[in-house]
Amino acid sequence: MRRLWPTYLLASFYAFLLVLPLLVLLSASLRAPEDLFTPGLLPPKVSLEGYRAALTDYPLWRYLLNSLLVASLATLGVLLTSLLAGYGLARIPFRSQKVFFGLVVALLLVPGEVTFLPLYLLINRLDWLDTYQALILPFAASPLGVFLLRQYIKTIPEDYFDAARIDGAGHLGLIRHVALPLSAPALGALAALTFIGAWNMYLWPLVVTQSREMQTAQIAINFILNEADAVARWNVVAAASFLVLLPTLLAFLLAQRAFVKGIALGGLKG
Amino acid sequence: MIRASASTQAQARARRRKEEAWALGLLLPAFGLFFLFYVVPLGQAIWLSLHQEDLFGRDLRYSGLDNYRQVLQDPAFWRSAKTTLLFAALVVPLELLLGLLAALLVWRPYPGVALFRTLFFLTTAVPTAVAAVAWGWFLHPVGGYLNHVLRTLGLSPQPWLTNPDLALPTLAVVTAWAGVGFTAILLTAGLQNIPEEVLEAASVDGASPWTRFWRVVLPLLSPTLFLVGLLVLLKSLTAFGQIHLLTRGGPIESTMVWIYRVYQEAFFNFRFAYAAAQGLLLFLLLVVLAALQFRLLGRRVHYA
């Protein structure tokens, strides 16, 4: 048995350093305005003024709701389109299958962040600026998702499909009763990966939203920072940021396995 | 049996056609979206980059490769390209090192390892905007905790984000911090793929933990490290949120990276065609890197 205390010591110290910026943020969010510049990790006295101001001076609920709507609908879209296309590519032999799979692989290589400008021009032409569909639809299908599901469904033994076929199931029945339940682990990992990606989007909502009501939480932080920083209301900025962090933090703590698996799977592509 | 062949053949053909219709129908939602939101914009960007616009961003006329020629002669473009590469050169090793340390600490199970895994992987759950605000306050010239610690240690506080020499390295640290969880997860998975027998064999041969790390673990992990390094490189070449929130490309353009310049040319100078040309050049660089990564992956992961 190896001695563990050096590991514990080092891991605790390192973990503390990594979490420190977040602890400082939490501390700032709980400070009274006059205590903002009082040194120390703990606030001299706990004040909820930052949270009150963040929730009443800004429509933070609206921003969080926007983010939640965008992230959940994009995730739902990715799961559905990936499951259907993944099954189609993995289970139905047809002539141009290779072409379609090749296209998925090619699209895997397209870096999303640099297509924001042409995508913006397209959305502008469609007259979709400042709409939910502009925030959701471009992310409702993912090449990575189709790729992962196709790989996963290919590994399901033919026997399972045969059994359902004997019971008279068509393709939709096979998807619903065989492919869907059996690829639940892959779908879960993909869902975690997609949700976190959509929740954290920054550049796209920044260019495509115009009115305050349409902004997502990430973009709201930007202008709360601009406004509140100017008058040194850092406790408000910190409180708003913490409220935006809370949903992903909770999701991460509750579904850590799916998160980790999603990143390990998706990290193969990124 | 022979007599039935003509009609069964027709039946088979009809069935095949029906199957094909099913396949295309199932592929339609995904590929329809791909076409609309990947293929069309890309084509549009290429088309646009071959045109010139007037001062108001209207009246496009075909100009061949003029935009590209202009970009390549623009010192501002080369400055931002250099800044981007410097930024990546700082982020990649730092993020790999920080992630590797975390991964090594939670690689093998021990009582309490789940807690440390949670803490080390935690930054994957922190949105870029929140990371930027946390660090913005952490580094605040007056109230910032870091400068407070420096003062306590008798060192002089630093203007981390407003000094042109310090801003880019500081942003690199923020970026690497935000990526630790991501690299730690991938490297932990890589470490766990190292066969237990190999490690035991090394121990039996009397290798110290130190030798074992350098001679066994690191060589076996190096393909994963390379792949993760490539991923981090791709991410760092398109880092935007933290720069937009913390420095806006300043002070005096010291953090004006490539993608930020594209954003600025398009949305502040309204030179969309020029921005499209700059963006496509970055796109080319990223596609080459992504293709390299995919080739390496293809060797390691079976996907036929």
Side-chain angles (χ1 to χ4, degrees):
Chain A
M1 192 64 211
R2 65 206 166 108
R3 277 179 311 166
L4 278 171
W5 67 262
T7 307
Y8 281 122
L9 200 68
L10 194 56
S12 309
F13 181 64
Y14 189 34
F16 173 74
L17 280 186
L18 282 181
V19 182
L20 188 59
L22 293 177
L23 291 179
V24 171
L25 184 74
L26 179 63
S27 163
S29 77
L30 292 169
R31 280 164 192 255
E34 66 272 17
D35 286 335
L36 264 176
F37 296 104
T38 317
L41 207 49
L42 292 174
K45 61 173 184 293
V46 172
S47 152
L48 292 175
E49 168 58 21
Y51 287 91
R52 191 203 58 76
L55 286 169
T56 52
D57 294 359
Y58 302 95
L60 209 60
W61 293 116
R62 171 79 193 223
Y63 303 136
L64 288 168
L65 220 59
N66 281 348
S67 282
L68 190 67
L69 190 76
V70 168
S72 348
L73 288 181
T75 304
L76 217 62
V78 166
L79 293 184
L80 188 69
T81 54
S82 302
L83 180 66
L84 296 182
Y87 173 89
L89 284 172
R91 287 288 157 185
I92 308 178
F94 66 104
R95 259 177 303 157
S96 38
Q97 200 176 38
K98 277 216 169 82
V99 178
F100 280 99
F101 186 60
L103 192 65
V104 172
V105 173
L107 288 176
L108 270 174
L109 303 183
V110 176
E113 293 85 350
V114 286
T115 51
F116 79 96
L117 180 56
L119 195 55
Y120 169 85
L121 297 169
L122 173 73
I123 294 294
N124 189 14
R125 184 162 300 179
L126 289 170
D127 215 8
W128 278 6
L129 286 183
D130 219 26
T131 61
Y132 283 117
Q133 63 265 34
L135 287 167
I136 296 163
L137 279 182
F139 308 96
S142 102
L144 179 66
V146 175
F147 182 81
L148 284 180
L149 263 293
R150 185 252 184 201
Q151 306 303 85
Y152 205 88
I153 292 173
K154 242 186 154 36
T155 64
I156 300 173
E158 192 60 38
D159 299 357
Y160 290 92
F161 290 98
D162 282 339
R165 252 182 230 116
I166 289 163
D167 291 342
H171 285 304
L172 289 181
L174 293 179
I175 291 174
R176 186 158 144 35
H177 296 294
V178 185
L180 173 66
L182 287 180
S183 43
L187 287 170
L190 181 62
L193 192 67
T194 312
F195 188 88
I196 210 174
W199 181 272
N200 292 348
M201 267 196 297
Y202 188 84
L203 182 50
W204 181 245
L206 179 72
V207 297
V208 89
T209 59
Q210 292 165 331
S211 65
R212 289 200 161 184
E213 304 83 70
M214 287 307 296
Q215 279 172 345
T216 59
Q218 313 305 327
I219 307 311
I221 288 184
N222 174 44
F223 86 68
I224 295 177
L225 180 67
N226 285 337
E227 270 186 23
D229 189 29
V231 287
R233 291 217 298 170
W234 263 91
N235 57 330
V236 184
V237 183
S241 304
F242 222 83
L243 289 173
V244 170
L245 171 63
L246 221 52
T248 32
L249 202 60
L250 282 178
F252 173 76
L253 294 177
L254 288 175
Q256 196 182 346
R257 284 181 88 125
F259 265 69
V260 168
K261 210 170 151 196
I263 286 165
L265 269 175
L268 296 178
K269 194 271 154 184
Chain B
M1 279 296 126
I2 298 161
R3 148 182 81 85
S5 78
S7 74
T8 42
Q9 247 176 31
Q11 258 174 17
R13 215 173 312 128
R15 248 192 63 188
R16 217 177 310 133
R17 211 167 299 140
K18 210 175 131 195
E19 286 290 283
E20 198 155 308
W22 263 108
L24 292 175
L26 291 172
L27 294 184
L28 185 68
F31 284 84
L33 290 168
F34 290 159
F35 179 74
L36 189 57
F37 296 119
Y38 283 74
V39 181
V40 170
L42 211 56
Q44 203 182 358
I46 294 168
W47 181 85
L48 187 65
S49 75
L50 300 173
H51 288 70
Q52 295 274 353
E53 57 214 329
D54 66 11
L55 272 177
F56 309 100
R58 286 184 303 246
D59 263 352
L60 288 167
R61 56 172 182 79
Y62 181 75
S63 66
L65 294 174
D66 274 2
N67 278 321
Y68 292 95
R69 226 168 279 140
Q70 219 184 320
V71 169
L72 294 177
Q73 286 168 3
D74 186 351
F77 165 73
W78 287 108
R79 271 202 308 275
S80 63
K82 225 176 92 186
T83 307
T84 308
L85 296 182
L86 182 61
F87 179 68
L90 292 169
V91 171
V92 174
L94 190 61
E95 194 173 320
L96 281 182
L97 213 65
L98 292 176
L100 182 61
L101 179 57
L104 286 170
L105 285 168
V106 296
W107 161 23
R108 317 180 79 183
Y110 54 84
V113 74
L115 174 68
F116 287 120
R117 275 191 192 154
T118 304
L119 291 171
F120 290 154
F121 298 167
L122 191 71
T123 59
T124 49
V126 180
T128 313
V130 176
V133 168
W135 278 85
W137 176 242
F138 188 64
L139 300 170
H140 194 281
V142 187
Y145 193 71
L146 187 60
N147 280 342
H148 166 66
V149 170
L150 287 181
R151 272 189 293 265
T152 316
L153 293 173
L155 299 164
S156 50
Q158 296 295 324
W160 298 105
L161 290 165
T162 45
N163 176 338
D165 294 328
L166 276 179
L168 194 72
T170 305
L171 274 179
V173 173
V174 175
T175 306
W177 175 84
V180 168
F182 177 76
T183 37
I185 287 172
L186 293 176
L187 291 175
T188 305
L191 284 170
Q192 283 169 345
N193 282 339
I194 296 176
E196 196 60 38
E197 308 88 73
V198 180
L199 297 165
E200 267 165 30
S203 298
V204 171
D205 288 348
S208 69
W210 193 244
T211 340
R212 220 170 46 157
F213 174 72
W214 286 104
R215 296 284 178 79
V216 182
V217 175
L218 212 54
L220 286 174
L221 190 67
S222 60
T224 313
L225 266 173
F226 189 76
L227 208 64
V228 176
L230 216 48
L231 275 174
V232 176
L233 176 63
L234 282 166
K235 269 201 315 174
S236 65
L237 290 176
T238 53
F240 180 85
Q242 59 274 51
I243 297 172
H244 186 253
L245 276 151
L246 288 176
T247 62
R248 312 247 154 183
I252 46 172
E253 293 213 350
S254 61
T255 61
M256 180 66 73
V257 291
W258 200 331
I259 194 166
Y260 204 89
R261 182 161 288 288
V262 175
Y263 167 77
Q264 218 172 29
E265 286 290 357
F267 295 100
F268 287 90
N269 304 339
F270 299 106
R271 298 169 72 190
F272 283 105
Y274 194 60
Q278 281 197 6
L280 280 168
L281 287 174
L282 178 59
F283 175 82
L284 280 181
L285 174 66
L286 292 170
V287 167
V288 170
L289 289 172
L292 175 68
Q293 172 212 338
F294 204 81
R295 272 188 65 105
L296 291 169
L297 253 181
R299 245 175 260 157
R300 299 180 62 231
V301 191
H302 182 69
Y303 66 87

